[in-house]
Amino acid sequence: MFKVQKEVITTPFLLSSRVSQQLVDTNMPTMPAVVSAAGAAAPCSNVVEDLVGFLRVLSDGTILRSPGPVFCPSTFPGEHPSVEWKEAVYDKPKNLHVRMYKPSPTSGGVGAGGGGKLPVLVYFHGGGFCLGSCTWANVHSFCLRLAADAGAVVLSAGYRLAPEHRLPAAVDDAAGFLHWLRERAVDGDGWWLAEAADFGRVFVTGDSAGGTIAHHLAVRAGSAVAAAAAPDDPVAIRGYVLLMPFFGGVSRTPSEAGCPAEVFLNLDLFDRFWRLSLPPGATRDHPMANPFGPDSPAMDGVELPPVLVVAGGLDMLRDRAVDYAERLSAMGKPVELAEFAGEHHGFFTLGPGSDAAGELIAAVARFVDVAAPPPK
């Protein structure tokens, strides 16, 4: 059994670029019905929620989205010399895509010309459940490096975003992706990943909101009903990796209360994410936000494989990640905590080429190798 271990890694904070736009202060106790739209705001409509220009909600319910984030410069690598990748649609009615990455046969790694198959890392991006895509340049660049440095197949799956699709839509989509993966694993002769992927060594990973998705998938899979229903699962989930999970709660933690208002990822912005993504009228103690809230399912009876929780020493959500790992450990769950001192929220996708991102990937690779060693 894993114990809670603090792996404090001190590295300089590297941020590829910062967003200079300021948050717009608004009061919005409830959200109107939402309709996807694009273009300029209607003359008679006011902006009632603004996620630093990436997403705006108007008083008439119209939603305006920018085409992409300003923190994804073209300098982020779009290719890697030792990684092949391609994109597919895994849910056509919802237009949900997955980007698939595998080390190339010429890279010389295990499973990529070395004779064995590779572990599979299912990855869900962050963005407060409101922003993000598997196609964003920073997410793509991080997944390229993750596949290369960890020696793994990486499956970066998209999901529907709020407020058009409020929670639990994202978690339902993630569960749907795992169902799609199981079908590919059974009927995958000739599939692009068939010769590379070891579906007996699958890990569900995610950063920020994606880490929260990983938690909810673990709870669903670890329930007695789910475990009894899938004794011969073609996809064996051997562990979960929660990279700075986006958890919330009505009561503020010290790291939340002490977060400077002038930083980009601040408390006000995170509160906006929750207002836009939770069911209307829900508080941050809703089970989708707070894994230990008053109405959240008890974790004691949930069967869990090994779990790695990553926290950043300068992350506003640091206390929630540490508390999550410590509570699981107190329940006797196999959990490991890796804390990166001096790092902010999402440092590995904001700077996917940084030394700190490389050390995080190395920590994930070590966890995978211990939790599910390659067959002899």
Side-chain angles (χ1 to χ4, degrees):
M1 175 179 294
F2 287 81
K3 298 296 183 183
V4 173
Q5 301 172 359
K6 287 194 176 181
E7 183 177 15
V8 181
I9 303 175
T10 305
T11 51
F13 175 54
L14 176 63
L15 182 61
S16 57
S17 62
R18 282 190 179 274
V19 178
S20 60
Q21 296 157 289
Q22 298 297 312
L23 291 173
V24 178
D25 283 331
T26 59
N27 271 322
M28 188 179 176
T30 59
M31 281 290 299
V34 293
V35 180
S36 296
C44 59
S45 298
N46 299 318
V47 176
V48 293
E49 288 283 9
D50 190 328
L51 296 180
V52 289
F54 302 151
L55 182 151
R56 291 179 294 157
V57 180
L58 307 185
S59 57
D60 65 358
T62 299
I63 295 169
L64 305 177
R65 288 185 176 272
S66 66
V70 299
F71 53 80
C72 288
S74 59
T75 53
F76 279 172
E79 302 291 339
H80 193 287
S82 63
V83 175
E84 301 173 2
W85 69 275
K86 67 188 303 183
E87 187 171 325
V89 175
Y90 77 85
D91 189 323
K92 190 172 182 179
K94 297 175 184 174
N95 194 30
L96 295 177
H97 291 236
V98 55
R99 285 199 171 180
M100 304 175 289
Y101 306 80
K102 65 178 180 180
S104 62
T106 58
S107 65
V110 174
K117 291 190 175 184
L118 299 168
V120 178
L121 304 181
V122 176
Y123 175 81
F124 299 104
H125 65 79
F129 297 107
C130 299
L131 305 174
S133 168
C134 64
T135 66
W136 277 15
N138 62 327
V139 175
H140 177 69
S141 183
F142 174 70
C143 288
L144 284 170
R145 188 176 184 187
L146 180 61
D149 290 6
V153 169
V154 175
L155 305 177
S156 177
Y159 50 88
R160 289 173 296 169
L161 300 176
E164 297 94 329
H165 307 284
R166 289 176 177 266
L167 290 167
V171 180
D172 292 340
D173 291 343
F177 175 75
L178 293 180
H179 178 75
W180 177 88
L181 184 61
R182 290 181 175 98
E183 291 181 336
R184 301 287 82 72
V186 171
D187 304 320
D189 289 344
W191 188 37
W192 188 66
L193 293 176
E195 297 302 317
D198 182 353
F199 295 110
R201 292 189 293 151
V202 176
F203 291 78
V204 177
T205 75
D207 80 270
S208 194
T212 310
I213 290 174
H215 157 76
H216 287 292
L217 292 177
V219 172
R220 289 187 182 188
S223 69
V225 173
D232 300 316
D233 196 333
V235 170
I237 297 177
R238 305 294 295 275
Y240 294 85
V241 179
L242 281 60
L243 305 173
M244 299 181 164
F246 181 42
F247 292 139
V250 171
S251 298
R252 302 298 192 191
T253 66
S255 62
E256 290 172 342
C259 179
E262 63 271 14
V263 302
F264 173 45
L265 297 175
N266 60 24
L267 190 60
D268 181 68
L269 179 61
F270 281 17
D271 284 352
R272 289 168 187 263
F273 282 134
W274 286 127
R275 286 201 300 271
L276 291 169
S277 62
L278 288 172
T283 73
R284 295 187 304 275
D285 276 340
H286 188 278
M288 283 287 114
N290 187 349
F292 304 111
D295 298 319
S296 299
M299 296 285 292
D300 306 67
V302 175
E303 294 293 329
L304 290 177
V307 177
L308 172 64
V309 180
V310 171
L314 299 181
D315 183 9
M316 185 189 72
L317 298 177
R318 180 260 176 199
D319 290 352
R320 293 197 183 276
V322 172
D323 177 69
Y324 178 84
E326 290 178 343
R327 290 199 193 205
L328 291 189
S329 179
M331 297 175 194
K333 309 299 183 186
V335 60
E336 180 179 345
L337 172 66
E339 182 172 355
F340 286 71
E343 296 302 334
H344 291 247
H345 190 77
F347 68 91
F348 45 90
T349 53
L350 294 172
S354 67
D355 290 343
E359 293 184 10
L360 177 136
I361 291 173
V364 172
R366 289 193 298 269
F367 171 77
V368 168
D369 287 344
V370 172
K376 300 290 186 179

